[in-house]
Each structure stands twice: as structure tokens, then as C-alpha cells.
């Protein structure tokens, strides 16, 4: 879907990004993670040509993005900014409908799409459509910014610190809404964040950057248990144990668990229904065990049931570190 090859950007003699390469598959979410000044936002802006690269190549659906007119490229890609980037003199409905209008959609179609997205993002169309951004809370403004990026139903979504300007409570709530939004199921997403927990929660893979260079690309668990270098190993610091439990799923330690004789089917996929499933994180399972004051839980995967305890969780993490 998106292929970046040897991408570099120099501002005068200073290298902001140096020969970055990665590929994002259709429907995948790649997180650009790193410290301030690591080149995350510059990389994102080069993909939709808000910043022109000094060298390198960008392909979208096997098409050379650098050969396309920049305006045409941007209209095919949703873009969400940290400070929402809403036009203050446009109403909510007008902000959401900007790109469909530029693409020549009929007014009735734009109105229907605007209403659909507002409902999905928990914005009352009757109460908010004619308001201006200054009349909204920070969380509401960010929802409008996301709706605007999704309005024309682009296959690609670029997000630059989309929740960074929100307070912690609002940030957590909107992040949960984001995860459950069906509009994103088929989207290819590249997101910039400096929030490690957010990266692990939202990303299929993480591209960790430092000083404009890629340090490692991989699934969250790969960065934790198979770090490419000392920078990657040290980056997660005191948050490591929590991240390890959030990155690992029950199915990842299945081989370390003891079979439970006599248990029948019916547990698999039951996450959220009071029974743990194989795709639950170890963190979710540990919370269930401690909150319920129980010694173990039974999980079903396929035709096999196994028992998991808190001791199993910590033992499995230790073994993964040693391997």
C-alpha cells in the first residue's frame, strides 16, 4: 500500500531524516515513535508532500507519489493534526465537508456523510453541526478533525499526534472511541506519537526513530523482547513490565500453559463477556485475576482448554526475555 525508500530531508546542512525506509500494508497501522526531534512529523509530512523530500522515493499503490500533483495526492489521503487544524470561521458541518466539496460531491451527499460521521463520533448533528470550533471542547474539536479526515472515505489516514493536545481523561476516552470506530477497519494508517503506551495500544507495528534514523521496525512485542540495539532496549525504561504485559496476548504464551482436562468449548472469542479469550492481553487477564480474587482462569483456543495463573504470566515473560 505505502512504500518508503531511502527517504531523507535536509534543512540547509541539518539532516532531519536520513534514508528512512519502511512499508505499510493495506489495513495496517504503523506508529512512528521516538523522542522530540527524531524526524517523526517530518517523515509523515513528506508522505503527503507537505514537506518535499531531499531524496528518496514514496510509492502509494505502486504509484510514484512524488510524480503526482501535490493537491491531487492530498485529497486522496486523510490528515489529522495535533491541534485539529479546523478553520475557525467555518461551522462544524462546513469543516467536515471541505474535501468532499473539493471533490465535487453533491450537497445532499455531503450532508448525509457529515451526519453519519458525527453520529459515529458521538457528536449530535442537530446540536453541533452549525457551531464554530471555538464553541467546542478540545475533545469535540478533535472528533471534528477526525471526521473531516474521514469524510471522503480515503484509503489512507495520516495522523500527527492526534490526541496530544488533550487532557489525560479526554485522551483516554477518545482513544477508546478511535479503536472501536468501524470507519477505520479497512484504513491504512500512519500515526505519529511520542506516547509509548498509545503506540502499543494502537499500532500493529512500530517504527522507532532516533536522530532521523530508523532504529527498529516491528510488532510491539518484538521491540520489547528482541531489541535491535541499546537505544531500543533502553527506550522503554521503567514502563517495560507494563508494556510487556500489554503487548503479549494469551495465545503468545499458549505453549507455556498447562492443559485443563475436562473443559468443553465455548470460551474462545468470549473476551468482554466475562470469560478470557486467547486474544486478551496478559495485562487484561492479570487485572481480571486480581480484581476477582481468583487463583486462575481457564482459556479455550480451538479444541484445547488451558489454565493460566499470575505465576504463569510472569514465568512466560521471563522465558521470552531469556530466549
Amino acid at each position: 500500500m505505502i512504500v518508503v525508500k531511502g527517504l531523507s530531508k535536509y534543512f540547509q546542512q541539518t539532516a532531519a531524516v536520513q534514508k528512512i525506509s519502511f512499508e505499510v500494508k493495506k489495513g495496517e497501522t504503523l506508529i512512528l515513535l521516538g523522542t522530540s526531534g527524531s524526524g517523526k512529523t517530518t517523515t509523515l509530512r513528506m508522505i503527503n508532500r507537505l514537506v518535499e523530500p531531499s531524496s528518496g522515493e514514496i510509492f502509494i499503490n505502486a504509484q510514484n507519489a512524488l510524480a503526482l500533483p501535490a493537491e491531487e495526492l492530498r485529497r486522496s489521503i486523510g490528515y489529522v493534526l495535533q491541534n485539529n487544524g479546523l478553520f475557525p470561521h467555518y461551522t462544524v458541518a462546513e469543516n467536515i465537508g471541505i474535501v468532499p466539496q473539493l471533490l465535487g460531491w453533491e450537497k445532499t451527499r455531503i450532508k448525509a456523510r457529515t451526519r453519519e460521521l458525527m453520529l459515529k463520533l458521538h457528536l449530535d448533528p442537530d446540536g453541533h453541526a452549525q457551531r464554530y470550533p471555538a464553541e467546542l471542547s478540545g475533545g469535540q474539536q478533535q472528533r471534528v478533525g477526525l471526521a473531516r479526515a474521514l469524510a471522503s472515505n480515503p484509503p489512507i489516514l495520516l495522523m500527527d499526534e492526534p490526541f496530544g493536545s488533550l487532557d489525560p481523561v479526554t485522551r483516554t476516552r477518545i482513544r477508546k472511541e478511535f479503536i472501536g470506530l468501524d470507519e477505520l477497519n479497512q484504513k491504512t494508517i500512519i500515526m505519529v506519537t511520542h506516547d509509548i503506551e498509545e503506540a502499543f495500544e494502537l499500532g500493529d507495528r512500530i517504527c522507532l526513530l532516533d536522530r532521523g534514523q530508523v532504529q527498529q521496525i516491528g510488532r510491539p512485542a518484538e521491540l520489547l523482547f528482541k531489541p535491535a540495539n541499546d537505544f531500543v532496549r533502553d527506550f522503554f525504561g521503567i514502563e517495560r513490565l507494563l508494556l510487556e504485559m500489554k503487548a503479549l496476548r494469551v495465545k503468545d504464551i499458549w505453549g507455556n500453559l498447562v492443559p485443563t482436562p475436562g473443559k468443553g468449548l465455548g470460551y474462545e472469542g468470549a473476551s468482554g463477556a466475562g470469560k478470557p479469550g486467547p486474544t486478551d492481553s496478559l495485562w487484561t487477564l492479570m487485572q481480571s485475576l486480581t480484581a476477582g480474587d481468583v487463583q486462575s482462569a481457564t482459556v479455550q483456543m480451538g479444541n484445547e482448554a488451558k489454565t493460566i495463573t499470575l505465576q504463569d504470566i510472569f514465568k512466560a515473560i521471563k522465558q521470552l526475555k531469556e530466549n
Side-chain angles (χ1 to χ4, degrees):
M1 186 70 176
I2 302 174
V3 178
V4 171
K5 294 183 178 180
L7 205 61
S8 296
K9 180 60 183 180
Y10 289 85
F11 294 101
Q12 296 182 348
Q13 301 301 316
T14 302
V17 174
Q18 301 181 63
K19 296 183 179 180
I20 283 181
S21 298
F22 58 77
E23 183 174 348
V24 189
K25 297 178 181 178
K26 182 179 179 180
E28 183 181 28
T29 297
L30 178 72
I31 304 293
L32 300 180
L33 176 66
T35 55
S36 297
S38 60
K40 307 183 298 294
T41 294
T42 300
T43 300
L44 192 76
R45 290 178 176 176
M46 284 192 284
I47 293 173
N48 71 346
R49 308 270 303 282
L50 287 173
V51 172
E52 293 292 344
S54 301
S55 61
E57 298 176 295
I58 303 169
F59 295 93
I60 298 177
N61 287 330
Q63 190 173 16
N64 184 357
L66 300 180
L68 294 172
E71 293 77 11
E72 179 183 335
L73 175 69
R74 291 176 197 142
R75 289 177 189 178
S76 66
I77 297 174
Y79 193 66
V80 183
L81 299 168
Q82 177 178 346
N83 61 358
N84 67 64
L86 301 178
F87 294 110
H89 55 290
Y90 279 24
T91 65
V92 167
E94 289 170 339
N95 266 288
I96 295 174
I98 286 174
V99 175
Q101 184 178 3
L102 291 172
L103 294 174
W105 287 24
E106 294 181 356
K107 290 183 178 180
T108 53
R109 184 184 177 191
I110 295 174
K111 185 176 180 179
R113 178 60 172 163
T114 298
R115 182 176 182 84
E116 176 189 19
L117 286 170
M118 291 186 71
L119 289 171
K120 287 183 176 181
L121 289 164
H122 307 286
L123 290 165
D124 176 22
D126 297 325
H128 293 90
Q130 298 309 311
R131 291 188 181 183
Y132 290 89
E135 301 176 273
L136 306 177
S137 68
Q140 289 171 335
Q141 290 179 10
Q142 207 60 36
R143 289 185 179 94
V144 175
L146 180 56
R148 182 176 64 181
L150 293 170
S152 64
N153 197 24
I156 296 171
L157 193 61
L158 304 181
M159 309 183 75
D160 187 5
E161 299 271 13
F163 315 118
S165 61
L166 303 175
D167 65 83
V169 175
T170 304
R171 181 177 185 140
T172 299
R173 183 171 67 248
I174 292 185
R175 205 158 65 195
K176 289 181 179 178
E177 293 176 7
F178 178 84
I179 293 172
L181 191 62
D182 63 354
E183 286 278 340
L184 303 175
N185 289 343
Q186 302 300 319
K187 294 283 186 286
T188 302
I189 301 172
I190 301 179
M191 179 187 294
V192 166
T193 185
H194 66 272
D195 186 310
I196 297 174
E197 186 176 345
E198 185 169 277
F200 274 65
E201 185 176 354
L202 301 180
D204 296 310
R205 289 187 303 140
I206 295 172
C207 176
L208 183 58
L209 300 170
D210 181 47
R211 299 180 182 180
Q213 296 180 316
V214 174
Q215 300 300 310
Q216 187 170 352
I217 301 176
R219 294 185 303 107
E222 291 174 338
L223 271 67
L224 288 170
F225 295 105
K226 297 179 180 179
N229 54 41
D230 290 340
F231 175 83
V232 179
R233 183 179 294 105
D234 297 339
F235 184 79
F236 302 107
I238 59 175
E239 299 180 69
R240 177 174 292 277
L241 180 58
L242 174 61
L243 293 170
E244 287 169 347
M245 288 192 288
K246 287 188 173 184
L248 290 172
R249 302 289 180 259
V250 174
K251 63 182 182 180
D252 295 328
I253 64 168
W254 195 252
N256 302 92
L257 304 179
V258 177
T260 306
K263 291 291 182 181
L265 299 176
Y267 287 82
E268 185 171 7
S271 304
K275 297 176 181 178
T279 59
D280 277 338
S281 70
L282 298 188
W283 174 250
T284 299
L285 186 57
M286 189 184 79
Q287 287 184 308
S288 299
L289 289 172
T290 54
D293 194 27
V294 294
Q295 299 299 312
S296 64
T298 301
V299 182
Q300 185 88 22
M301 187 163 72
N303 294 321
E304 188 176 27
K306 290 190 176 183
T307 299
I308 185 169
T309 66
L310 288 175
Q311 184 178 4
D312 291 326
I313 292 175
F314 292 114
K315 182 179 178 181
I317 290 175
K318 181 180 179 182
Q319 289 176 336
L320 285 169
K321 288 180 178 179
E322 293 173 348
N323 291 339

